[in-house]
Amino acid sequence: MASFIIRRLIASVFVLFAATFLMYILVSLSGDPLEELAQSNAPNKAELMEARTRLLNLDVPAPLRYFLWLGGLFRGDFGISIQNQPVNALLANALTSTLTLVTTATVVAIVLGISVGIVSALRQYSGFDYTVTLISFLFFSLPIFWVAVLLKQYGAIQLNSWLANPTIAVPAIIAISLIAGVLWMSLIGGRWKRRLLVLAVAAVATAAVLTYLSITEWFADPSIGIVVYAALAIGIAFGVTAVSTGLRNRKSLYAALTVAVLGIALYFPMMNSILNGMTLGLFVLLIVLTIVVTGVIGWFFGKPDRGPVIRTAILTGILTAGLIALDKYMSYWEVYANSSRIRGRPIATVGASTPGLGGNFWVQGIDLYTHLLLPTIAIILISFASYTRYSRASLLEVMNQDYIRTARAKGLTERTVVVRHAFRNALIPITTIIAFDVGAVVGGAVVTETVFGWTGMGRLFVDALRVADPNPIMAFFVVTGTLAVLFNLIADLIYAALDPRIKVS
C-alpha cells in the first residue's frame, strides 16, 4: 500500500508539472495583460505599461516565465495580480467562499441522490421509480441560471412575504397531503389494499401536521420541543438500527436506544445552559465528545462483534445531537428575523452574509444558512439527477450478479443482501464519479455564484481570464488540479476497501 501511494504521488507530481506548464503557455497566448492599458487615455500610459511589465515579468519569454512562477510556487507564493493584489489573498477568499457554498450543496446532493437512486432501484418499474426518473431528467435539463432566478423570486421574495403571516391555505394543505400520501404509497409498495391504506394514513397525518403548523403560526417562531424531540430520537434509534444492522440485532438496538435516552436526558441542560455561551471551538468539541461517548456506548453493548454496534450508536448520537443543535438554532429564529438588519425578510437573495448583523454564534449560524439556502438548492437540483441515475443503474447491475442470488439462496434477509453485499459494490462506480466531480466542486459554480453574488473560485477564474491575468488563473488551476489528482488517488484506495478483489498493486 505504501509503495502504491508513493508511486502514485510521484507520477502525480510529474502530471501536475506538465499540466501547469501547458496551462501557463496557453494562458500566456490567450490574451495580452497590457491591452487594457494600451487602449487607455492615461497621460502616464507608458509608465503604467512598463510597471505592469516588470510586475508580471512580461519581458521574459513565456516558457522561461513559467519557471519564475514555479519558483514562487515552491515558496508558497502565487504571485501578484494585474491589480497589484497578492494572489494568495484572492485565492484564500475565493476558496473559502466556494467551499462554504459548493461543498455543502455537493455533499447533500450526493447523499440525497444516492439514497433516492437506491430506493428507485429497489422499486424498479414502480410509480416511484417512474416519478424519480421524470423528476431527475427534468432537473437535469433545466438551465441553472433560470432555476436560480426562479428560486430568488419564489424561494426568497414570495417566501419572505408569506413568512409575515405564515398560515397555510386549505387547498395547499390538501394538495401537499395528497402528494405526501402518494409518495409514501410508492415507497412502501405492496398490494393495492395496503397501498390505499398507506395513502390514507400518510395523507391524514400530513394534513394534521400542516394544520397544526398553520394554526400555531409555527414558522414565525419554530421549535421542536421535548415531546417531539423524544419521539424523533426514539424513531431515529429504530430507523438507524433497521438500516445499519437490522432490528434483530438487539445489541445494536439497545445501544441506539441508550443513546436516544441519553439525548432526551440532556435536552434541557443543553438547551438552557450548555449551549448558551457557544463558540466554534466549543461546538467542534461537543461534536467530538458526541462521537466518543456514543462510540463507548456502542463498544459496551457490542461484545463480541463491536464494529456494527459502535457504528449504529455513533450515527444515532450524531443525528440526535443534531436535533438539539437544530432546536437551539430555531430558538433564535425570531430574534434573527426581526433584527434591524433583516427586518422580517430572513431568506437572503445575494451575498454570503448580512453586513453589520452582529449577534451570537447561533444568530450568525442562521444568517449563514439563510444565505446558503437558495444557491445550495439550485446546485442540488442540477446535481441530483446524475447521482440518482448513476446509483440506480449501478445497484441494478449489482443486484443481477451471481453472488447476490447466492446470498439470497443462503437465506439471508433482503436488508442484509442489499446493505452488506449489493450496496457496497454498487458504490465503486459512484466513487469514480464523485472523485472526478471534486475538481469541479472546488472550481466553483460560475453561474450560481454570479446570480447569488458569491465571489468564489469560479468568479476568480472567469474574471482573471477576461483580463488575461495569468497568476490567478494558475492559482485556480493548481488548486483544482491538485485536488482532482489527490481525490483520484483516494478513490483508488476506496476501491480496494470496498472490494477486496481489487489490488492496489
Side-chain angles (χ1 to χ4, degrees), residues 290-306:
T290 299
I291 295 174
V292 172
V293 172
T294 54
V296 170
I297 293 174
W299 182 88
F300 178 79
F301 279 95
K303 187 178 180 180
D305 187 15
R306 289 191 168 103

PDB file of all heavy atoms in Angstrom, residues 290-306:
ATOM      1  N   THR A 290     -19.525  13.871  21.400  1.00  0.00           N
ATOM      2  CA  THR A 290     -20.673  13.051  20.995  1.00  0.00           C
ATOM      3  C   THR A 290     -20.207  11.762  20.347  1.00  0.00           C
ATOM      4  O   THR A 290     -20.709  10.667  20.657  1.00  0.00           O
ATOM      5  CB  THR A 290     -21.566  13.841  20.026  1.00  0.00           C
ATOM      6  OG1 THR A 290     -22.057  15.015  20.665  1.00  0.00           O
ATOM      7  CG2 THR A 290     -22.740  12.998  19.553  1.00  0.00           C
ATOM      8  N   ILE A 291     -19.241  11.872  19.437  1.00  0.00           N
ATOM      9  CA  ILE A 291     -18.738  10.677  18.754  1.00  0.00           C
ATOM     10  C   ILE A 291     -18.058   9.735  19.751  1.00  0.00           C
ATOM     11  O   ILE A 291     -18.266   8.516  19.718  1.00  0.00           O
ATOM     12  CB  ILE A 291     -17.768  11.087  17.636  1.00  0.00           C
ATOM     13  CG1 ILE A 291     -18.521  11.880  16.566  1.00  0.00           C
ATOM     14  CG2 ILE A 291     -17.089   9.862  17.017  1.00  0.00           C
ATOM     15  CD1 ILE A 291     -17.623  12.463  15.488  1.00  0.00           C
ATOM     16  N   VAL A 292     -17.260  10.304  20.655  1.00  0.00           N
ATOM     17  CA  VAL A 292     -16.533   9.459  21.616  1.00  0.00           C
ATOM     18  C   VAL A 292     -17.486   8.763  22.568  1.00  0.00           C
ATOM     19  O   VAL A 292     -17.406   7.542  22.788  1.00  0.00           O
ATOM     20  CB  VAL A 292     -15.510  10.313  22.394  1.00  0.00           C
ATOM     21  CG1 VAL A 292     -14.891   9.499  23.529  1.00  0.00           C
ATOM     22  CG2 VAL A 292     -14.420  10.820  21.463  1.00  0.00           C
ATOM     23  N   VAL A 293     -18.418   9.512  23.158  1.00  0.00           N
ATOM     24  CA  VAL A 293     -19.341   8.932  24.145  1.00  0.00           C
ATOM     25  C   VAL A 293     -20.229   7.876  23.507  1.00  0.00           C
ATOM     26  O   VAL A 293     -20.418   6.776  24.054  1.00  0.00           O
ATOM     27  CB  VAL A 293     -20.184  10.044  24.802  1.00  0.00           C
ATOM     28  CG1 VAL A 293     -21.281   9.444  25.681  1.00  0.00           C
ATOM     29  CG2 VAL A 293     -19.299  10.955  25.638  1.00  0.00           C
ATOM     30  N   THR A 294     -20.793   8.176  22.342  1.00  0.00           N
ATOM     31  CA  THR A 294     -21.657   7.180  21.693  1.00  0.00           C
ATOM     32  C   THR A 294     -20.859   5.974  21.226  1.00  0.00           C
ATOM     33  O   THR A 294     -21.361   4.846  21.237  1.00  0.00           O
ATOM     34  CB  THR A 294     -22.390   7.813  20.512  1.00  0.00           C
ATOM     35  OG1 THR A 294     -21.441   8.438  19.617  1.00  0.00           O
ATOM     36  CG2 THR A 294     -23.373   8.876  20.982  1.00  0.00           C
ATOM     37  N   GLY A 295     -19.600   6.203  20.821  1.00  0.00           N
ATOM     38  CA  GLY A 295     -18.748   5.068  20.467  1.00  0.00           C
ATOM     39  C   GLY A 295     -18.480   4.164  21.654  1.00  0.00           C
ATOM     40  O   GLY A 295     -18.473   2.933  21.530  1.00  0.00           O
ATOM     41  N   VAL A 296     -18.270   4.766  22.831  1.00  0.00           N
ATOM     42  CA  VAL A 296     -18.068   3.967  24.051  1.00  0.00           C
ATOM     43  C   VAL A 296     -19.330   3.176  24.390  1.00  0.00           C
ATOM     44  O   VAL A 296     -19.256   2.002  24.791  1.00  0.00           O
ATOM     45  CB  VAL A 296     -17.665   4.894  25.217  1.00  0.00           C
ATOM     46  CG1 VAL A 296     -17.682   4.119  26.547  1.00  0.00           C
ATOM     47  CG2 VAL A 296     -16.292   5.481  24.972  1.00  0.00           C
ATOM     48  N   ILE A 297     -20.490   3.796  24.223  1.00  0.00           N
ATOM     49  CA  ILE A 297     -21.744   3.079  24.470  1.00  0.00           C
ATOM     50  C   ILE A 297     -21.878   1.891  23.517  1.00  0.00           C
ATOM     51  O   ILE A 297     -22.247   0.779  23.923  1.00  0.00           O
ATOM     52  CB  ILE A 297     -22.942   4.041  24.319  1.00  0.00           C
ATOM     53  CG1 ILE A 297     -22.921   5.086  25.436  1.00  0.00           C
ATOM     54  CG2 ILE A 297     -24.266   3.284  24.335  1.00  0.00           C
ATOM     55  CD1 ILE A 297     -23.983   6.159  25.297  1.00  0.00           C
ATOM     56  N   GLY A 298     -21.559   2.107  22.239  1.00  0.00           N
ATOM     57  CA  GLY A 298     -21.593   1.001  21.287  1.00  0.00           C
ATOM     58  C   GLY A 298     -20.600  -0.089  21.624  1.00  0.00           C
ATOM     59  O   GLY A 298     -20.894  -1.283  21.497  1.00  0.00           O
ATOM     60  N   TRP A 299     -19.404   0.307  22.095  1.00  0.00           N
ATOM     61  CA  TRP A 299     -18.387  -0.676  22.490  1.00  0.00           C
ATOM     62  C   TRP A 299     -18.872  -1.493  23.684  1.00  0.00           C
ATOM     63  O   TRP A 299     -18.651  -2.705  23.760  1.00  0.00           O
ATOM     64  CB  TRP A 299     -17.102   0.051  22.836  1.00  0.00           C
ATOM     65  CG  TRP A 299     -15.967  -0.855  23.205  1.00  0.00           C
ATOM     66  CD1 TRP A 299     -15.061  -1.423  22.364  1.00  0.00           C
ATOM     67  CD2 TRP A 299     -15.615  -1.287  24.529  1.00  0.00           C
ATOM     68  NE1 TRP A 299     -14.177  -2.194  23.068  1.00  0.00           N
ATOM     69  CE2 TRP A 299     -14.486  -2.126  24.402  1.00  0.00           C
ATOM     70  CE3 TRP A 299     -16.145  -1.054  25.791  1.00  0.00           C
ATOM     71  CZ2 TRP A 299     -13.880  -2.725  25.502  1.00  0.00           C
ATOM     72  CZ3 TRP A 299     -15.541  -1.643  26.878  1.00  0.00           C
ATOM     73  CH2 TRP A 299     -14.425  -2.480  26.737  1.00  0.00           C
ATOM     74  N   PHE A 300     -19.537  -0.847  24.615  1.00  0.00           N
ATOM     75  CA  PHE A 300     -20.022  -1.542  25.819  1.00  0.00           C
ATOM     76  C   PHE A 300     -21.093  -2.576  25.472  1.00  0.00           C
ATOM     77  O   PHE A 300     -21.108  -3.684  26.018  1.00  0.00           O
ATOM     78  CB  PHE A 300     -20.580  -0.511  26.809  1.00  0.00           C
ATOM     79  CG  PHE A 300     -21.149  -1.114  28.059  1.00  0.00           C
ATOM     80  CD1 PHE A 300     -20.318  -1.537  29.084  1.00  0.00           C
ATOM     81  CD2 PHE A 300     -22.524  -1.260  28.208  1.00  0.00           C
ATOM     82  CE1 PHE A 300     -20.842  -2.096  30.240  1.00  0.00           C
ATOM     83  CE2 PHE A 300     -23.056  -1.828  29.355  1.00  0.00           C
ATOM     84  CZ  PHE A 300     -22.210  -2.243  30.390  1.00  0.00           C
ATOM     85  N   PHE A 301     -21.990  -2.231  24.554  1.00  0.00           N
ATOM     86  CA  PHE A 301     -23.078  -3.150  24.204  1.00  0.00           C
ATOM     87  C   PHE A 301     -22.657  -4.172  23.148  1.00  0.00           C
ATOM     88  O   PHE A 301     -23.342  -5.175  22.976  1.00  0.00           O
ATOM     89  CB  PHE A 301     -24.284  -2.362  23.665  1.00  0.00           C
ATOM     90  CG  PHE A 301     -25.150  -1.765  24.730  1.00  0.00           C
ATOM     91  CD1 PHE A 301     -24.969  -0.454  25.131  1.00  0.00           C
ATOM     92  CD2 PHE A 301     -26.156  -2.504  25.328  1.00  0.00           C
ATOM     93  CE1 PHE A 301     -25.763   0.116  26.107  1.00  0.00           C
ATOM     94  CE2 PHE A 301     -26.960  -1.948  26.302  1.00  0.00           C
ATOM     95  CZ  PHE A 301     -26.765  -0.629  26.699  1.00  0.00           C
ATOM     96  N   GLY A 302     -21.557  -3.930  22.442  1.00  0.00           N
ATOM     97  CA  GLY A 302     -21.301  -4.671  21.214  1.00  0.00           C
ATOM     98  C   GLY A 302     -20.553  -5.967  21.319  1.00  0.00           C
ATOM     99  O   GLY A 302     -20.387  -6.657  20.305  1.00  0.00           O
ATOM    100  N   LYS A 303     -20.043  -6.330  22.468  1.00  0.00           N
ATOM    101  CA  LYS A 303     -19.241  -7.548  22.585  1.00  0.00           C
ATOM    102  C   LYS A 303     -20.028  -8.769  22.134  1.00  0.00           C
ATOM    103  O   LYS A 303     -21.194  -8.913  22.502  1.00  0.00           O
ATOM    104  CB  LYS A 303     -18.796  -7.714  24.043  1.00  0.00           C
ATOM    105  CG  LYS A 303     -17.811  -8.849  24.258  1.00  0.00           C
ATOM    106  CD  LYS A 303     -17.373  -8.923  25.730  1.00  0.00           C
ATOM    107  CE  LYS A 303     -16.393 -10.064  25.920  1.00  0.00           C
ATOM    108  NZ  LYS A 303     -15.938 -10.176  27.330  1.00  0.00           N
ATOM    109  N   PRO A 304     -19.459  -9.677  21.292  1.00  0.00           N
ATOM    110  CA  PRO A 304     -18.080  -9.697  20.774  1.00  0.00           C
ATOM    111  C   PRO A 304     -17.914  -8.974  19.440  1.00  0.00           C
ATOM    112  O   PRO A 304     -16.818  -8.611  19.063  1.00  0.00           O
ATOM    113  CB  PRO A 304     -17.823 -11.189  20.598  1.00  0.00           C
ATOM    114  CG  PRO A 304     -19.149 -11.756  20.243  1.00  0.00           C
ATOM    115  CD  PRO A 304     -20.169 -10.948  20.995  1.00  0.00           C
ATOM    116  N   ASP A 305     -19.019  -8.750  18.680  1.00  0.00           N
ATOM    117  CA  ASP A 305     -18.929  -8.098  17.364  1.00  0.00           C
ATOM    118  C   ASP A 305     -19.253  -6.623  17.548  1.00  0.00           C
ATOM    119  O   ASP A 305     -20.393  -6.190  17.369  1.00  0.00           O
ATOM    120  CB  ASP A 305     -19.892  -8.770  16.382  1.00  0.00           C
ATOM    121  CG  ASP A 305     -19.709  -8.250  14.969  1.00  0.00           C
ATOM    122  OD1 ASP A 305     -18.665  -7.609  14.714  1.00  0.00           O
ATOM    123  OD2 ASP A 305     -20.594  -8.482  14.131  1.00  0.00           O
ATOM    124  N   ARG A 306     -18.246  -5.826  17.876  1.00  0.00           N
ATOM    125  CA  ARG A 306     -18.497  -4.450  18.302  1.00  0.00           C
ATOM    126  C   ARG A 306     -18.614  -3.463  17.141  1.00  0.00           C
ATOM    127  O   ARG A 306     -19.240  -2.409  17.300  1.00  0.00           O
ATOM    128  CB  ARG A 306     -17.370  -3.997  19.230  1.00  0.00           C
ATOM    129  CG  ARG A 306     -17.391  -4.672  20.605  1.00  0.00           C
ATOM    130  CD  ARG A 306     -16.417  -3.970  21.545  1.00  0.00           C
ATOM    131  NE  ARG A 306     -16.607  -4.405  22.916  1.00  0.00           N
ATOM    132  CZ  ARG A 306     -15.817  -5.260  23.546  1.00  0.00           C
ATOM    133  NH1 ARG A 306     -14.784  -5.787  22.895  1.00  0.00           N
ATOM    134  NH2 ARG A 306     -16.039  -5.581  24.806  1.00  0.00           N
TER     135      ARG A 306
END
